[in-house]
Amino acid sequence: MANKQIEMRKVKKIFKLYSAGVSKRRISSQLGISRNTVSKYIAFFQRYQLT
């Protein structure tokens, strides 16, 4: 379903797992969302991350 928002809890879990070194494929499998969705949120996080 295009442009469906995911729960904030899943967004936080994406960032937590990705920061721990878990692959995008495994994250999408664990959370039941597509890899494209995971990639989109990770890209957003990296774009606006303060360094």
Side-chain angles (χ1 to χ4, degrees), residues 39-51:
S39 295
K40 177 181 78 171
Y41 281 99
I42 289 171
F44 180 81
F45 176 68
Q46 290 174 336
R47 196 172 327 138
Y48 293 101
Q49 182 179 20
L50 297 176
T51 55

Side-chain angles (χ1 to χ4, degrees), residues 1-7 40-41:
M1 188 178 286
N3 294 326
K4 182 179 177 186
Q5 293 181 346
I6 64 172
E7 299 169 352
K40 177 181 78 171
Y41 281 99

Side-chain angles (χ1 to χ4, degrees), residues 23-49:
S23 70
K24 293 175 187 176
R25 179 173 283 173
R26 181 161 292 184
I27 294 169
S28 67
S29 174
Q30 284 183 354
L31 299 180
I33 55 180
S34 75
R35 274 188 282 161
N36 287 337
T37 301
V38 172
S39 295
K40 177 181 78 171
Y41 281 99
I42 289 171
F44 180 81
F45 176 68
Q46 290 174 336
R47 196 172 327 138
Y48 293 101
Q49 182 179 20

